[in-house]
Amino acid sequence: MSRRLASTGAALLLIACAGLASAQERLLRLTPSDIEGLVQGGATAGTSGVAGIRTTVLFGNPTKAGPYTIALRAPPNVRIAAHNHRDERTAVVVAGLWRFGYGRKADESLVKILPPGSFYSEPAGVEHFAMTGPEGATIYISGYGPTSTDYVEAANAPKP
């Protein structure tokens, strides 16, 4: 009996430690210079795939179930055609001017110019598009993965 209690106690301790490690991994405090030091790449899960856009995963993994946040840095004069994502997402504009609109076509008359500090949503399955002007933009996007990017017109999807 005492062996079974010891085994059960050890198992509970391992579970508790696993939960603690998992909680510790979620404790993040990143300054802008910390974020600049993270691995940056091009097109990743949940991004448009447009050439020149740099993406950094700040939290989680957008390809797996669970919350995630990505930093998206769009260079000047970029256009992202209408697309949607399977997960519901929200975003904050951190730098530059983000020209964002909802619709099945990238129609500039539907764009709202969002300066730093702006917040917007990308509801699951809702088509939207974006563009930058000469200043480019940095946006932090959060969602609950796994995510996807599905273009309204397949011909508008960036080619790898």
Side-chain angles (χ1 to χ4, degrees):
M1 181 73 164
S2 66
R3 225 181 225 175
R4 190 160 56 178
L5 282 175
S7 295
T8 302
L12 290 173
L13 181 60
L14 286 174
I15 291 169
C17 288
L20 179 61
S22 155
Q24 290 295 325
E25 291 169 1
R26 292 189 310 257
L27 299 177
L28 290 176
R29 292 172 287 184
L30 301 173
T31 65
S33 61
D34 294 335
I35 292 169
E36 285 300 317
L38 295 173
V39 175
Q40 297 181 18
T44 62
T47 68
S48 64
V50 171
I53 291 179
R54 294 181 309 155
T55 305
T56 304
V57 176
L58 300 176
F59 180 80
N61 182 339
T63 67
K64 296 183 178 175
Y68 67 87
T69 300
I70 57 176
L72 185 128
R73 289 173 182 79
N77 306 310
V78 162
R79 297 180 67 88
I80 302 171
H83 63 281
N84 65 67
H85 308 281
R86 68 178 172 188
D87 60 318
E88 185 154 336
R89 299 152 41 119
T90 58
V92 174
V93 179
V94 178
L97 293 176
W98 189 235
R99 292 154 171 86
F100 184 85
Y102 299 105
R104 294 186 56 79
K105 289 199 178 289
D107 179 348
E108 288 193 46
S109 70
L110 300 175
V111 163
K112 182 168 187 172
I113 297 175
L114 302 173
S118 297
F119 175 88
Y120 67 93
S121 65
E122 297 177 1
V126 172
E127 289 85 8
H128 56 275
F129 56 92
M131 51 193 78
T132 61
E135 63 288 310
T138 299
I139 302 93
Y140 289 178
I141 301 170
S142 295
Y144 193 91
T147 190
S148 66
T149 301
D150 304 302
Y151 278 86
V152 172
E153 295 180 26
N156 289 335
K159 308 299 182 257

